[in-house]
């Protein structure tokens, strides 16, 4: 049976038409399944019984099962190991931050891009997630929040708080899975669906140019983050094989043009790795590459995991790197990943699922 959460707004409308139901039911169907603060009894009363019977016989509505959860002692972030219907496992991470809750979600089981500093990349690609499995991670997290008022109190949020921000920085390259990603995004931003503000959703890519073009052409208004990591073309191709197919300079040229025509801001993610990309020469090259593009650079010290030979940068080198970017007029922040004690930090996902 197909998962209800895979049905984009257009697919629901098409289904109503095909089954001979009025389009006026679209809003109630979506609200019933996505908005736990809606008056569900009232919504149900107003839906035709045949429509409910049809949905129940054709679709499954189960959120994704949580196989394991780990909570950080330091920052309260929670990592979920999620079991999909076919037994495959993916991970998502819930992170409280002031008045918001960010969920880092996965778009694939594994990843085929094989960036050498990333643990997920070492798994290879098992399969793409469906739109329902992408959206289902948010539905599951919202259900968990509903069931855990003490956690919300502990992080000083109200009991009605649900996931407010989503970042596609978990397992997978989202732009290797554009059709399902786009359907999932449409459900996420639909006012009757998860009702998330587009600017609170960030799709992160290692530089998949074809996927980037398709995503931007959808005009969904979601944020885009480029995981740049290494400014030198040769070095980047060695550590991030995607650079051989989509050279960084071409990706940046496209972003620069898209910015001019669509007035968009982009985020650059730069994982700082000792002895690999943390020198002042790298900072200078990065500043040169980003000239003329409105961007913010997040510098993320690498989270080493046991199997890797890559190491965290020295703090002095990290601050010197940031200083050079700032002096070059590039907004940059040092971001320390959350959930480091539960292997939930950037580049660490996939550890418990192996
Ligand atoms: S960094 Fe992203 S694109 Fe690269 S292997 Fe890891 S998950 Fe895939």
């Amino acid at each position: 049976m197909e998962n209800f959460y895979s049905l984009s707004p257009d697919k629901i409308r098409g289904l109503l038409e095909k089954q001979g139901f009025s389009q006026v039911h679209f809003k109630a169907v979506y609200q019933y399944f996505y908005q736990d603060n809606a008056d569900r009894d009232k919504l149900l009363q107003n839906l035709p019984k045949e429509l409910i019977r049809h949905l129940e016989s054709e679709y499954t509505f189960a959120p994704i099962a949580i196989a394991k959860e780990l909570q950080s002692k330091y920052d309260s972030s929670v990592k979920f190991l999620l079991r999909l219907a076919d037994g495959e496992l993916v991970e998502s991470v819930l992170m409280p931050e002031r008045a918001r809750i960010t969920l880092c979600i996965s778009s694939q089981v594994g990843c085929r891009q094989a960036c050498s500093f990333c643990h997920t990349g070492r798994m290879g690609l098992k399969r793409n997630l469906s739109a329902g499995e992408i959206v289902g991670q948010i539905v599951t997290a919202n259900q968990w929040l509903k069931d855990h008022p003490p956690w919300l109190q502990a992080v000083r949020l109200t009991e009605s708080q649900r996931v407010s921000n989503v970042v596609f920085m978990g397992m997978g390259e989202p732009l290797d899975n554009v059709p399902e990603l786009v359907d999932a995004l449409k459900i996420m931003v639909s006012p009757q669906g998860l009702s998330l503000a587009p600017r609170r959703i960030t799709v992160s890519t290692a530089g998949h140019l074809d996927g980037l073009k398709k995503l931007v052409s959808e005009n969904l208004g979601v944020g885009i983050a480029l995981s740049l990591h290494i400014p030198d073309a040769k070095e980047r191709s060695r550590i991030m094989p995607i650079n051989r197919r989509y050279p960084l300079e071409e990706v940046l040229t496209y972003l620069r043009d898209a910015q001019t025509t669509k007035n968009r801001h982009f985020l650059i993610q730069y994982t700082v790795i000792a002895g690999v990309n943390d020198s002042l020469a790298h900072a200078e090259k990065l500043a040169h590459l980003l000239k003329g593009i409105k961007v913010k650079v997040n510098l993320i010290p690498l989270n080493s995991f046991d199997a890797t030979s890559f190491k965290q940068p020295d703090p002095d080198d990290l601050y010197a790197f940031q200083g050079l970017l700032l002096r070059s007029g590039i907004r940059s922040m040092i971001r320390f990943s959350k959930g480091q004690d539960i292997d939930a930090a950037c580049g660490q996902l996939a550890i418990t699922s192996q």
Side-chain angles (χ1 to χ4, degrees), residues 173-178 181-182 185 202-220 222-227 236 242 246-256 258 262 264-268:
E173 162 55 62
L175 298 184
D176 259 336
N177 187 16
V178 171
L181 170 75
V182 167
L185 290 172
T202 303
V203 176
S204 173
T205 175
H208 193 302
L209 187 52
D210 289 337
L212 205 48
K213 289 177 182 170
K214 283 185 202 146
L215 178 64
V216 170
S217 73
E218 290 285 339
N219 269 326
L220 293 168
V222 297
I224 291 169
L226 171 65
S227 297
R236 194 168 193 267
I242 194 170
Y246 303 113
L248 180 60
E249 298 234 1
E250 285 179 27
V251 177
L252 288 174
T253 301
Y254 173 73
L255 290 182
R256 194 178 278 116
K262 295 183 188 283
R264 302 277 304 264
H265 286 251
F266 299 102
L267 181 69
I268 300 290

Side-chain angles (χ1 to χ4, degrees), residues 107-108 110-123 168-174 176 204-207 227 229 239-242 271 347 349:
S107 54
Q108 297 179 307
C111 181
R112 69 176 180 150
Q113 296 302 340
C115 303
S116 47
F117 53 85
C118 169
H119 205 191
T120 308
R122 297 191 184 180
M123 291 174 66
F168 283 80
M169 296 180 188
M171 294 164 67
E173 162 55 62
D176 259 336
S204 173
T205 175
S227 297
H229 304 320
I239 287 180
M240 300 178 70
I242 194 170
T271 299
L349 297 189

Side-chain angles (χ1 to χ4, degrees), residues 124-183:
L125 176 66
K126 290 197 173 173
R127 69 170 174 86
N128 284 331
L129 296 191
S130 67
E133 289 167 333
I134 295 172
V135 168
Q137 294 170 71
I138 307 169
V139 174
T140 297
N142 279 339
Q143 184 63 49
W144 187 91
L145 289 168
K146 194 178 173 192
D147 296 341
H148 290 77
W151 183 87
L152 284 163
Q153 281 159 15
V155 297
R156 297 176 188 196
L157 290 168
T158 61
E159 285 191 14
S160 60
Q161 179 74 46
R162 299 292 177 260
V163 171
S164 57
N165 294 58
V166 173
V167 293
F168 283 80
M169 296 180 188
M171 294 164 67
E173 162 55 62
L175 298 184
D176 259 336
N177 187 16
V178 171
E180 299 298 321
L181 170 75
V182 167
D183 271 0

